Amino acid sequence: FIMAEKITKDLNPTYGSIQKLFSRRISLIAFCEDRVVGITANKNALYNADGNSQLIASDTVLGDANPFVGDYGISQNPESFAKESYRAYFTDRQRGAVLRLSMDGLTPISDAGMSDWFKDEFKNDTHINIIGSYDNYKNDYNLTFDRGNNIVFGPQGNPSGHGQTITYSEDVKGWTSFKSFIQESGVSMSGDYYTFNQGECYKHHSNQNRNDFYGTSVASFITFLLNESPTVIKNFNTLNYDGDEGWDCNIVSTDLGKQSEQIGTVADFIEKEGKWFNYIKGSTTLNTEDPR
């Protein structure tokens, strides 16, 4: 570089330190602790009288720097960053949020039904790393909370307390699943998704065994939300789902009953015309205490 030329760009010091740089088309994105800033590269912006800007050629290495709308940054967790095409995903631990940067600007995707959960997780000071990676095969952003010990979910699906991974799906625009693998890092390449564990590379979606990662298998479980109005008691007669084969399950039951409610269970599913169903069998007595 020629030191006499203006090749540097000063950002507002209130944005905090720059934790991550990301090149996107004609701009350079600077992820600071408290703000995300877009910087035009090799061009400048000429503003018209109506306030709109036009890009003009320039010998300036870095042009105008403008922060994105939204008081969010990447805190001090650049390892949470993951990209897919023009989209970028990252966390802001200080503000308890998970963000997506796209063509329409910043969007707090943690608000998609998981706002309180993330705020509680980010308050936990035992987190060592908050690791993000993007799975091109499934169009998923996998976010791992690693507390230092590489232990997965327990046999009953309960988090061990040492780490957990949660997935945001672009297909449904929401958080779809907890996963039992704890990644050290991850990358998508040639349509395949790889993560690293204890320094070894692992290829996902190639194992026929469900919920088997890094040579460890754990039980899978699904939690259904059947009642969006918890103060209203409703009656359910059957439980059914669409699929190509029946589930092998030990039991399906309600997780909580009150004195005026009855617990129901489903032990297995029966196939009929491509759908699987069974009746919910109620218990013979009403609950008088918390069944858990």
Side-chain angles (χ1 to χ4, degrees):
F1 296 103
I2 301 176
M3 296 298 296
E5 295 182 355
K6 296 181 179 180
I7 60 174
T8 63
K9 175 65 62 174
D10 293 329
L11 299 181
N12 192 325
T14 61
Y15 298 164
S17 64
I18 297 176
Q19 297 285 315
K20 177 75 177 179
L21 293 175
F22 170 52
S23 178
R24 189 177 70 170
R25 294 181 60 199
I26 61 172
S27 63
L28 181 69
I29 310 299
F31 292 87
C32 304
E33 293 183 54
D34 300 310
R35 292 300 291 269
V36 180
V37 183
I39 308 170
T40 54
N42 295 319
K43 297 187 185 311
N44 260 326
L46 177 65
Y47 290 90
N48 300 328
D50 58 1
N52 295 323
S53 62
Q54 293 182 358
L55 291 177
I56 59 174
S58 172
D59 57 358
T60 304
V61 177
L62 299 175
D64 292 343
N66 296 294
F68 287 91
V69 176
D71 293 329
Y72 295 106
I74 202 171
S75 295
Q76 294 184 358
N77 297 104
E79 70 276 8
S80 67
F81 176 88
K83 70 178 182 68
E84 192 282 323
S85 185
Y86 57 86
R87 293 192 298 264
Y89 303 83
F90 61 98
T91 65
D92 187 348
R93 181 176 178 177
Q94 295 298 324
R95 293 158 188 82
V98 183
L99 287 305
R100 178 185 62 203
L101 175 63
S102 188
M103 300 301 292
D104 56 352
L106 288 172
T107 302
I109 58 176
S110 53
D111 289 349
M114 295 290 289
S115 177
D116 291 342
W117 188 90
F118 278 110
K119 289 179 180 178
D120 292 338
E121 281 296 307
F122 287 127
K123 290 179 182 177
N124 192 335
D125 293 333
T126 61
H127 293 156
I128 293 180
N129 292 311
I130 304 175
I131 305 163
S133 64
Y134 193 86
D135 182 355
N136 276 338
Y137 189 88
K138 291 287 188 178
N139 289 329
D140 290 342
Y141 171 57
N142 292 320
L143 184 62
T144 297
F145 294 89
D146 181 10
R147 297 183 177 94
N149 294 312
N150 212 6
I151 300 177
V152 298
F153 278 57
Q156 301 301 321
N158 297 319
S160 65
H162 296 288
Q164 54 189 326
T165 297
I166 186 172
T167 295
Y168 178 84
S169 173
E170 280 293 340
D171 293 337
V172 301
K173 304 297 181 185
W175 301 92
T176 58
S177 178
F178 287 94
K179 295 179 178 177
S180 60
F181 66 86
I182 307 300
Q183 61 178 330
E184 294 173 351
S185 62
V187 64
S188 290
M189 183 175 63
S190 300
D192 293 320
Y193 177 55
Y194 303 87
T195 61
F196 294 85
N197 177 267
Q198 297 183 352
E200 296 185 357
C201 183
Y202 179 87
K203 182 179 179 181
H204 290 249
H205 315 304
S206 60
N207 194 334
Q208 297 298 321
N209 297 325
R210 302 288 185 180
N211 215 357
D212 186 331
F213 300 102
Y214 314 138
T216 302
S217 298
V218 297
S220 301
F221 66 98
I222 296 177
T223 301
F224 296 96
L225 300 178
L226 299 179
N227 191 354
E228 295 183 355
S229 303
T231 58
V232 178
I233 297 177
K234 297 182 180 180
N235 295 323
F236 297 96
N237 296 323
T238 60
L239 181 65
N240 64 78
Y241 73 94
D242 295 340
D244 54 0
E245 59 180 314
W247 289 351
D248 294 329
C249 59
N250 295 327
I251 192 169
V252 178
S253 65
T254 56
D255 66 341
L256 178 63
K258 298 181 177 61
Q259 187 170 0
S260 61
E261 299 178 5
Q262 188 177 22
I263 291 180
T265 62
V266 178
D268 53 20
F269 292 91
I270 303 171
E271 190 274 338
K272 184 176 181 181
E273 297 180 353
K275 294 185 177 182
W276 299 84
F277 80 102
N278 205 344
Y279 294 100
I280 301 176
K281 300 175 178 63
S283 61
T284 56
T285 60
L286 296 178
N287 277 339
T288 58
E289 59 182 2
D290 188 340
R292 295 179 295 181

